[in-house]
Amino acid sequence: LLTTLGVTIERLAPGYVELGLASRADLMQQHGFVHAGAISTIADSACGYAAYTGFPQDRDVLTVEFSMSLVSPAAQSAFVAAGRVIRSGRTLTIRRGEVYGLGEDGERNLVALIQATMMAVTRMSANA
Amino acid sequence: LLTTLGVTIERLAPGYVELGLASRADLMQQHGFVHAGAISTIADSACGYAAYTGFPQDRDVLTVEFSMSLVSPAAQSAFVAAGRVIRSGRTLTIRRGEVYGLGEDGERNLVALIQATMMAVTRMSANA
Amino acid sequence: LLTTLGVTIERLAPGYVELGLASRADLMQQHGFVHAGAISTIADSACGYAAYTGFPQDRDVLTVEFSMSLVSPAAQSAFVAAGRVIRSGRTLTIRRGEVYGLGEDGERNLVALIQATMMAVTRMSANA
Amino acid sequence: LLTTLGVTIERLAPGYVELGLASRADLMQQHGFVHAGAISTIADSACGYAAYTGFPQDRDVLTVEFSMSLVSPAAQSAFVAAGRVIRSGRTLTIRRGEVYGLGEDGERNLVALIQATMMAVTRMSANA
């Protein structure tokens, strides 16, 4: 799905990841804003990648749940989603993230908040 | 975005909507399941459409927030998202929905839950 | 906490529990409604008890996260919180519940929705 | 409810509030941890007070929804809940907060995260 949306990796540090998304006509909803689903996808994915950075090779993550708060309409032409690990437990990992719309001068305007719970699974065995 | 994902309207009743989604390689994440972002998009959209059914023509909805619970991996080849209005207030509308994966015999297996808050806005004026 | 709030068990069935709460001056917030914290407590607890009904004796549950939607002000003098198990996995259990205010004729008016994730733990070992 | 729980105001700044809670036997659940309902109450309240700090005198807030993530068991003997305003709109205010358990040396250990939406209402008119 990330390829379909044209998502790019902007920054990759231990426990912290930023993903980029450019607005496109086919990502919009009826008001001309980027659809909440696309915003959620990059927010959830940034949180997911943030977890991988600290994981052993044979472990993977599945999203258990997330809460999105859509703070303001996604009217900008480009977005950055930041995700970071808040606490990494044996089974569950808690993450928070933000999505920013980029202004013409590159300033970041908050568009959405995410709070997510993910579960570590052994690779190739994805049954929760 | 809904067109990009290939989302179809399966049922449209007052306060209740069902949307369909067929799995495609480009909607998947690394495990071969449909990405949580795509599941969220149809869940959120089903909730949004459910609200429109009871709205005057000049009113529109914006999603304020939603909580997704990903109950089991989205391993099926087709999905239905059901959204219904729980309470429709002057400003805010509360919705709940479910996403089901369709089995080979058409039986519905719960994949995700959504609980969402939306805000009514006057059409053409989308500032929250 | 449940004793302090005066919470009562109203119904106990496999995977389904109802708890009761009577309004009291010391449970209110500044508007004279029962505080969202008290409403959340009975909603979360109803969901928790619902899980116990299907558990082996040596297992316990911890709440991982929950999302509350406060649908209308808790102005009634008595409340019932219903919690039920949506899916019970090996590690995680997903629940949904509702809180109703009881009208003078005993009719139920929806006050709040909850969607919760809980984790099964072995009794006496409560580290997540 | 805050008086019943023994909640104290620890810090009050524009858009930022900290509340304190001491553990008591009657606030605990079955594991000896402070009940998620009490943790949620101070988290929600800290977020609510944070909003008041920037409000005109005749305006009030009602919680619309909140998502709590219980990061680790509330095993400490004292807690601090921090709430801050993320974005304050005409109708809705978005807040985030954290609850910390205080260690013996006063260090803060993260216990819970909250993400909340509140609605501004005119005082004495509390109907959503």
Side-chain angles (χ1 to χ4, degrees):
Chain A
L1 180 57
L2 301 187
T3 315
T4 309
L5 298 180
V7 174
T8 52
I9 297 181
E10 297 295 321
R11 210 175 136 196
L12 197 65
Y16 182 79
V17 167
E18 291 187 359
L19 300 181
L21 176 73
S23 183
R24 290 192 326 228
D26 67 343
L27 302 182
M28 292 180 180
Q29 31 87 295
Q30 72 281 5
H31 299 96
F33 304 138
V34 170
H35 197 284
I39 296 295
S40 303
T41 300
I42 55 166
D44 172 46
S45 298
C47 288
Y49 280 102
Y52 282 115
T53 61
F55 264 37
Q57 292 249 347
D58 64 334
R59 299 289 275 168
D60 232 334
V61 287
L62 284 178
T63 301
V64 169
E65 62 81 35
F66 63 88
S67 297
M68 287 291 303
S69 190
L70 300 152
V71 172
S72 58
Q76 291 87 351
S77 61
F79 300 89
V80 167
R84 70 192 163 289
V85 173
I86 298 290
R87 183 170 179 276
S88 188
R90 206 172 39 204
T91 311
L92 298 178
T93 309
I94 313 298
R95 259 147 275 189
R96 261 186 177 172
E98 298 82 29
V99 181
Y100 301 94
L102 299 181
E104 297 193 359
D105 304 331
E107 81 278 12
R108 297 183 166 200
N109 302 297
L110 187 65
V111 163
L113 301 177
I114 188 170
Q115 201 166 280
T117 307
M118 291 174 186
M119 184 161 66
V121 292
T122 302
R123 200 170 291 243
M124 289 293 115
S125 152
N127 295 303
Chain B
L1 181 58
L2 301 186
T3 315
T4 308
L5 298 179
V7 174
T8 53
I9 297 182
E10 297 295 321
R11 211 175 135 195
L12 198 64
Y16 182 80
V17 166
E18 291 186 359
L19 299 180
L21 176 74
S23 182
R24 290 192 326 229
D26 66 345
L27 303 182
M28 291 181 181
Q29 31 87 293
Q30 73 281 4
H31 299 98
F33 304 138
V34 170
H35 196 285
I39 296 295
S40 303
T41 301
I42 56 167
D44 171 47
S45 298
C47 287
Y49 279 103
Y52 283 116
T53 62
F55 263 35
Q57 292 249 345
D58 64 333
R59 299 290 275 169
D60 233 335
V61 287
L62 284 179
T63 301
V64 169
E65 62 82 35
F66 64 88
S67 296
M68 287 291 303
S69 188
L70 300 153
V71 172
S72 58
Q76 291 87 351
S77 60
F79 300 89
V80 167
R84 71 192 161 287
V85 174
I86 298 290
R87 184 169 179 277
S88 188
R90 207 172 38 206
T91 310
L92 298 177
T93 309
I94 313 297
R95 260 147 273 190
R96 261 186 178 174
E98 297 83 31
V99 181
Y100 301 95
L102 299 180
E104 296 193 0
D105 304 330
E107 82 277 12
R108 296 182 167 201
N109 303 298
L110 187 65
V111 163
L113 301 176
I114 188 171
Q115 200 167 279
T117 308
M118 292 174 184
M119 184 161 65
V121 291
T122 302
R123 201 170 289 244
M124 289 295 116
S125 151
N127 296 305
Chain C
L1 181 58
L2 300 186
T3 315
T4 308
L5 299 179
V7 174
T8 53
I9 296 180
E10 297 295 320
R11 213 176 132 194
L12 198 63
Y16 182 79
V17 166
E18 291 186 0
L19 300 179
L21 175 73
S23 182
R24 288 189 331 224
D26 67 343
L27 302 183
M28 291 180 181
Q29 31 86 293
Q30 72 280 6
H31 299 98
F33 303 138
V34 170
H35 195 285
I39 296 295
S40 303
T41 300
I42 57 167
D44 172 47
S45 298
C47 286
Y49 279 102
Y52 282 116
T53 62
F55 264 37
Q57 291 250 345
D58 64 334
R59 298 290 275 169
D60 233 336
V61 287
L62 285 178
T63 301
V64 169
E65 63 80 36
F66 64 88
S67 297
M68 287 292 303
S69 189
L70 300 153
V71 173
S72 58
Q76 292 88 351
S77 59
F79 300 89
V80 167
R84 69 191 163 288
V85 174
I86 298 290
R87 183 169 180 276
S88 188
R90 207 170 42 203
T91 311
L92 298 178
T93 309
I94 313 297
R95 259 146 274 192
R96 262 186 177 174
E98 298 83 30
V99 181
Y100 301 95
L102 299 180
E104 295 194 359
D105 303 331
E107 83 277 11
R108 295 181 167 202
N109 303 298
L110 186 66
V111 164
L113 301 177
I114 188 171
Q115 200 166 280
T117 307
M118 293 175 184
M119 184 160 68
V121 291
T122 303
R123 199 171 291 245
M124 290 293 116
S125 154
N127 296 305
Chain D
L1 180 57
L2 300 187
T3 315
T4 308
L5 299 180
V7 174
T8 53
I9 296 180
E10 297 296 320
R11 212 176 133 194
L12 197 64
Y16 182 80
V17 166
E18 292 186 359
L19 300 180
L21 175 74
S23 182
R24 289 189 330 225
D26 67 345
L27 302 184
M28 291 181 182
Q29 31 87 296
Q30 72 281 3
H31 299 97
F33 303 138
V34 170
H35 195 285
I39 296 296
S40 303
T41 300
I42 56 166
D44 172 47
S45 298
C47 286
Y49 279 102
Y52 283 116
T53 61
F55 263 36
Q57 291 249 346
D58 64 333
R59 299 290 275 169
D60 233 335
V61 286
L62 284 178
T63 301
V64 170
E65 63 80 36
F66 65 87
S67 297
M68 287 292 303
S69 189
L70 300 153
V71 173
S72 58
Q76 292 87 351
S77 59
F79 300 88
V80 167
R84 72 192 161 286
V85 174
I86 298 290
R87 184 170 179 275
S88 189
R90 208 171 42 204
T91 311
L92 299 177
T93 309
I94 313 298
R95 259 147 274 191
R96 261 185 176 174
E98 298 82 30
V99 181
Y100 301 95
L102 299 180
E104 296 193 357
D105 303 331
E107 82 278 11
R108 296 182 165 201
N109 302 298
L110 187 66
V111 163
L113 301 177
I114 187 171
Q115 200 166 282
T117 308
M118 293 174 184
M119 183 161 66
V121 292
T122 303
R123 200 169 292 243
M124 289 294 117
S125 154
N127 296 305

